């Protein structure tokens, strides 16, 4: 590379035949999950949380499909995500959850991004901008017990006692976030609900929002004026019973080699698992460099995740390598080199793989790597 030359850009992974794994995103399923949640939310409006590249499924594609289905309000974490989103959905309302980050105000104004104001200094900075003619909306985030972002209830009271400041920012939304919505019986849920109601009484006449995906399932009391589902849109995170959500992401990987091994022989690094009978093993081209967690692997002590091919579930064998996993296809006829194996999808639920990896579906989705070929289907 000569002086002044640009380094070569990495080649785009667009040719599926060159990739070890492929991700299929079903935008029709995404839209139908949004509609189902909107129905559950009753008279509350239903936004979409699309931070983290829409939980790994692709910000632009997801947001366009949802906007076309009628979603008008979106939440991202970062102003950078807001800029990308604005280019994809020109007329939508976009809230930036991480708020008015220092030295970022000009971007919020030029891109029409609404900051979610979580500290007193953000409130003052935004009020100053509004007094100087900025005409962009905002949300005020109040912490009701999670102790992450948000004004304290005391600061919310103080804001309610400063009508000039409140009038200057004139927030479009008052919101809070629930820590334990995925554990319906947790007593923090009712405590946070009561604390949020008290905040709404202090700051009347402002639309209110409390529920994430799991919060929607807690029932009508938690819905207020706007619900903010994320993970459920992408088919994950449903607690209790059969999920009414459609899987959005299918992850498949290719079979590279099939081999027969004798009873008692080990498979993979560390000889962590030995097979208990004569076995046929297929080596598959996805590993932890692709975001398929090492902890989802299998050992003599603990069974790992499952995969699915030719109509059958098959177990992982041994450790997950950087680029490879092994599955046990003993007794399964017709498995050949080049076959596609489902690792996550309609037959292998996201949350099941997450459970084996000792994590949550959110982390698996947002961690899906950059080596996959990706395709979008529907709506
Ligand atoms: C991420 C997030 C959500 C969405 O949460 P899910 O559990 O994915 O539905 C909603 N509100 C806030 C403040 C968030 O940070």
């Amino acid at each position: 590379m000569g002086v002044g030359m640009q380094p070569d850009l990495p080649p785009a992974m667009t040719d599926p035949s060159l990739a070890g794994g492929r991700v299929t995103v079903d935008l029709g399923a995404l839209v139908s999950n949004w509609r189902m949640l909107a129905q559950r939310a009753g008279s509350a409006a239903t936004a979409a949380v699309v931070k983290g590249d829409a939980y790994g499924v692709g910000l632009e594609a997801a947001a366009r499909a949802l906007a076309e289905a009628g979603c008008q309000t979106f939440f991202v974490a970062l102003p950078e995500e807001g800029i990308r989103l604005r280019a994809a959905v020109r007329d939508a309302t976009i809230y930036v959850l991480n708020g008015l980050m220092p030295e970022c105000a000009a971007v919020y104004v030029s891109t029409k991004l609404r900051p979610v104001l979580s500290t007193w200094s953000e409130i003052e900075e935004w009020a100053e901008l509004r007094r100087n003619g900025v005409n962009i909306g905002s949300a005020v985030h109040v912490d009701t017990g999670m102790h992450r972002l948000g004004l304290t209830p005391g600061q919310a009271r103080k804001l309610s006692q400063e009508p000039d400041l409140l009038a200057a920012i004139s927030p479009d939304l008052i919101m809070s976030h629930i820590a334990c919505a995925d554990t319906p019986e947790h007593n923090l849920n009712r405590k946070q609900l009561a604390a949020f109601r008290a905040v709404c009484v202090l700051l009347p006449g402002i639309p209110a929002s409390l529920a994430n995906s799991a919060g929607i399932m807690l029932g009508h009391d938690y819905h207020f004026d706007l619900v903010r589902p994320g993970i459920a849109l992408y088919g994950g995170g449903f607690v209790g019973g059969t999920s009414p959500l459609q899987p959005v992401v299918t992850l498949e990987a290719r079979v590279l080699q099939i081999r027969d091994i004798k009873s008692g022989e080990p498979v993979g690094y560390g000889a962590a698992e030995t097979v208990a009978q004569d076995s046929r093993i297929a080596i598959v081209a996805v590993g932890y460099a692709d975001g398929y967690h090492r902890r989802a692997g299998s050992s003599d002590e603990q069974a790992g995740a499952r995969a699915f091919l030719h109509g059958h579930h098959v177990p992982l064998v041994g450790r997950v390598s950087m680029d490879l996993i092994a599955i046990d296809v003993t007794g399964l006829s017709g498995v050949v080199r080049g076959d596609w194996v489902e690792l996550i999808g309609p037959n292998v639920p996201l949350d099941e793989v997450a459970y084996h990896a000792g994590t949550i579906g959110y982390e698996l989705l947002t961690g899906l790597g950059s080596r996959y070929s990706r395709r979008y289907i529907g709506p």
Side-chain angles (χ1 to χ4, degrees), residues 123-124 126-134 164-166 168-169:
I123 301 258
E124 288 181 326
W126 194 247
E128 189 57 26
L129 287 162
R130 297 261 306 178
R131 287 185 182 115
N132 288 317
V134 165
D164 290 349
L165 187 59
L166 189 55
I169 55 171

Side-chain angles (χ1 to χ4, degrees), residues 57-374:
V57 315
L59 176 62
E60 287 82 2
R64 280 198 200 102
L66 290 167
E68 221 155 90
C71 181
Q72 292 170 353
T73 304
F74 294 86
F75 289 83
V76 291
L78 299 168
E80 186 69 39
E81 297 175 320
I83 294 169
R84 274 177 61 190
L85 180 56
R86 175 57 74 212
V89 289
R90 299 241 155 239
D91 302 325
T93 298
I94 301 174
Y95 287 100
V96 179
L97 289 165
N98 284 7
L100 197 61
M101 299 190 354
E103 291 119 43
C104 287
V107 160
Y108 289 80
V109 176
S110 63
T111 317
K112 291 192 168 62
L113 304 177
R114 294 183 176 183
V116 176
L117 307 168
S118 288
T119 62
W120 195 257
S121 56
E122 283 169 88
I123 301 258
E124 288 181 326
E125 190 182 333
W126 194 247
E128 189 57 26
L129 287 162
R130 297 261 306 178
R131 287 185 182 115
N132 288 317
V134 165
N135 192 22
I136 309 286
S138 67
V140 169
H141 190 170
V142 181
D143 171 38
T144 52
M146 183 175 184
H147 300 143
R148 200 176 60 172
L149 291 175
L151 300 181
T152 65
Q155 288 173 318
R157 177 177 298 278
K158 190 173 156 207
L159 182 60
S160 74
Q161 292 161 349
E162 296 196 25
D164 290 349
L165 187 59
L166 189 55
I169 55 171
S170 185
D172 300 273
L173 189 70
I174 178 107
M175 60 169 271
S176 190
H177 192 44
I178 324 175
C180 303
D182 53 1
T183 312
E185 66 282 5
H186 202 293
N187 65 9
L188 191 53
N189 293 327
R190 295 217 68 81
K191 272 169 81 172
Q192 288 198 260
L193 177 62
F196 189 59
R197 282 185 170 145
V199 168
C200 294
V201 170
L202 284 175
L203 298 166
I206 307 169
S209 176
L210 179 63
N212 63 345
S213 300
I216 296 171
M217 305 303 168
L218 291 178
H220 179 71
D221 283 353
Y222 289 81
H223 294 165
F224 293 87
D225 301 301
L226 179 77
V227 296
R228 309 187 306 270
I231 191 69
L233 297 173
Y234 312 103
F238 187 77
V239 271
T242 312
S243 175
L245 301 165
Q246 294 185 28
V248 171
V249 171
T250 300
L251 168 62
E252 296 164 290
R254 287 194 114 179
V255 173
L256 300 178
Q257 180 168 6
I258 299 146
R259 64 188 321 127
D260 293 314
I261 60 171
K262 291 278 179 222
S263 173
E265 291 294 323
V267 178
Y269 279 121
E273 183 161 10
T274 51
V275 297
Q277 55 172 337
D278 291 354
S279 298
R280 176 160 291 185
I281 304 295
I283 310 301
V284 176
V286 152
Y288 59 76
D290 303 294
Y292 193 88
H293 285 218
R294 191 168 175 274
R295 283 190 60 187
S298 184
S299 70
D300 287 334
E301 284 74 43
Q302 200 174 356
R306 300 187 297 171
F308 187 85
L309 84 164
H310 291 286
H312 293 273
H313 287 101
V314 293
L316 261 63
V317 199
R319 288 191 186 153
V320 173
S321 303
M322 186 185 292
D323 317 297
L324 300 168
I325 56 178
I327 55 176
D328 187 342
V329 296
T330 309
L332 209 57
S333 60
V335 181
V336 296
R337 186 168 75 93
D339 272 353
W340 288 96
V341 179
E342 179 183 326
L343 300 178
I344 295 172
N347 301 292
V348 188
L350 172 69
D351 293 310
E352 178 188 299
V353 181
Y355 169 80
H356 285 287
T359 183
I360 52 178
Y362 301 70
E363 195 184 13
L364 283 190
L365 284 186
T366 56
L368 289 177
S370 54
R371 299 201 294 184
Y372 299 117
S373 80
R374 280 175 178 260

